Amino acid sequence: MGGRPSMAVLTCTLLCSPHADAQTTADMGPVALRGTVSSAQEGAMEGVLVSAKKTGSTITTTVATDEKGHYAFPASRLQPGHYVIAVRAVGYSLNETKAAEIAADNVASADIALEKVTDLHQLADQLTNGEWLNSMPGNGFGCADCHTLQRIVNSTHTADEWMEVIPRMATYSNGSTPAQPQPLVPGPRQANEAPRNQAQLRRTAEYLASINLSKGPDWSYPLKPLPRPKGRATHVIITTYDLPRPEAMPHDAITTPDGHAWYSDFGHQFIGELDPQTGQVTDYAFPTLKPDEPKGFLEIESDPDGNVWGAGMYQGLIAKIDGKTKALSVYPIPREWQSNSTQESMVAPQFSNIDGKVWANNQDDHSILRLDTKTGKFENLGQVKTVGGQTIVGYGISPDQHNNLYVLQFRGSEIGRIDAQTKELKIYKTPFPASRPRRGRIGADGNLWFAEFGANAVAMFDPKTETIKEWLLPIKHSNPYDVVRNAKGDVWTGSEYTDRVTRLDPVTGEFVDYLMPQEVNIRRVFFDDARNEFWIGANHSAALLKVEPLD
């Protein structure tokens, strides 16, 4: 897996100093564990992620070292007990083992010495997908939704072998994993995914064979790690919550007013609820309506009453969990609208209190649907088309405060707006060509904030002036998936490829990129304004992550 942290297990030295005795920092108050990270090559190392996990716990806390190589864990985050320590610093390894015994009213100390990685393959094991894409010749290869690029670059397949592998991979649904492939049922969706142009297939196969290990023991191009975090990017606490099912694929993550986090399982018939205070997870199982079709949910969202809704993908349904009783409801798409390729990827109940309608879509034929919550009946508004007649592939849908709907054109450069009452459609084109708008949401400012996957940018649509503004991300191949603006005005997104969370001040244009402690493959992003917390799901590693900026 890309970017794995180095683990350690030896007990460190304890300093018997009370928390109240100057063992504090201005940002986090009393400290439970502190130390310095250094190496022979750099001396004190800034931007190293240091993680601590209590034995038997499912919760890991991560902090970053400052410009002097110092790190510190708040006492409020580490309860007494035995903690294993891990680090993430690309190009370095932790060869001595480290652990800490945390005791009440004492501060533990663990100084960490890292060693420079000299073996090329050991370095390669630490690279993120984004670092592989930055290293590869040409424009790279973006097949990293279902697995890491490590599986491609470490393979020894020849071009002829890739000619067999690629068509087979194209028949799997996007909720597949290497351990659990979910083939698409033969039909329009599978036919659309299968490579039809043999010349193009051959070019792809030859390219993949040129970037892997089919021609020798090492790669034919230099590996290019990204720089470690610096400055504000180190002012952060990250909490990782392991999910009880290791096969879980948390695609979307949100929180509800009670502070609980919810996630959609992209490969299984579950929506899960996490209590961040205890780490306890409750999984709600939904019925399998189409046994031969792939399983899993994509979007989840809460409505104004605190109910949680999920889009049931190839099972052809949207689902609801009652926020108070936890009762489950299932709303199948009418049978006459379904095929082997029906795909309910999106659901949007955020402003259903306006007119009692919940928006959804069918990714198969790209139609827009609407559920009447009182009658349980669906309305089909058909396809949304651009001025030139091109069908909008509405991968992202977002309602505004009047429950009008924005539809984001993932295969082009347009966003559409559907009036909830008149059903009138307006189309707006992004300034950046081939921007591929993906997902987003309405901010407290009334503007639509969304990701431009193809432009490597975040964008804002102002409905008052009907104009779009874009901000290009500073790290190449970030390829943002979703965007959220918080109440303070900062704009947040995450990368499928770089394991980084990005924070933008749209007034100054300043970006801050926080590195995550593990591979995350970020999809949906969510900001809990009440608690100043940013949430993501680690789609490839069965965990939810909470990011708390300290400034």
Side-chain angles (χ1 to χ4, degrees), residues 193-344:
E193 297 295 338
R196 294 186 291 269
N197 186 316
Q198 288 299 302
Q200 182 180 14
L201 176 59
R202 169 57 68 173
R203 288 194 296 270
T204 301
E206 290 176 349
Y207 178 74
L208 294 183
S210 75
I211 63 172
N212 70 357
L213 299 177
S214 60
K215 295 180 174 63
D218 295 323
W219 298 272
S220 60
Y221 47 91
L223 305 185
K224 301 175 182 178
L226 290 169
R228 292 195 308 273
K230 297 181 65 176
R232 291 184 68 193
T234 66
H235 303 168
V236 65
I237 298 176
I238 304 164
T239 308
T240 303
Y241 300 89
D242 297 335
L243 298 178
R245 292 181 297 107
E247 71 277 10
M249 300 172 63
H251 192 285
D252 283 21
I254 65 171
T255 63
T256 43
D258 59 2
H260 284 199
W262 295 77
Y263 77 94
S264 57
D265 190 327
F266 199 34
H268 310 86
Q269 291 299 101
F270 292 101
I271 292 176
E273 178 185 14
L274 163 73
D275 182 346
Q277 297 298 319
T278 64
Q280 181 179 351
V281 175
T282 303
D283 279 329
Y284 300 91
F286 283 85
T288 298
L289 302 186
K290 304 167 77 171
D292 295 331
E293 295 276 3
K295 317 303 186 294
F297 286 86
L298 198 149
E299 181 165 25
I300 59 169
E301 186 58 79
S302 61
D303 65 22
D305 295 325
N307 304 311
V308 174
W309 294 76
M313 290 291 283
Y314 293 99
Q315 292 298 306
L317 60 89
I318 61 175
K320 184 182 77 170
I321 301 176
D322 188 286
K324 297 177 181 178
T325 67
K326 310 302 182 185
L328 309 185
S329 300
V330 173
Y331 302 90
I333 305 304
R335 186 178 299 274
E336 60 270 23
W337 298 354
Q338 294 204 39
S339 72
N340 286 346
S341 303
T342 298
Q343 183 183 345
E344 299 308 311

Side-chain angles (χ1 to χ4, degrees), residues 490-533:
D490 285 337
V491 179
W492 292 73
T493 187
S495 170
E496 278 196 89
Y497 300 143
T498 66
D499 292 352
R500 279 168 166 78
V501 163
T502 299
R503 174 186 180 185
L504 164 68
D505 182 336
V507 177
T508 65
E510 179 187 7
F511 284 93
V512 182
D513 286 289
Y514 303 98
L515 178 63
M516 298 296 100
Q518 65 191 79
E519 186 197 1
V520 279
N521 189 250
I522 302 169
R523 310 298 180 89
R524 174 67 174 280
V525 300
F526 190 86
F527 203 95
D528 186 334
D529 285 305
R531 298 164 185 84
N532 198 40
E533 300 169 350

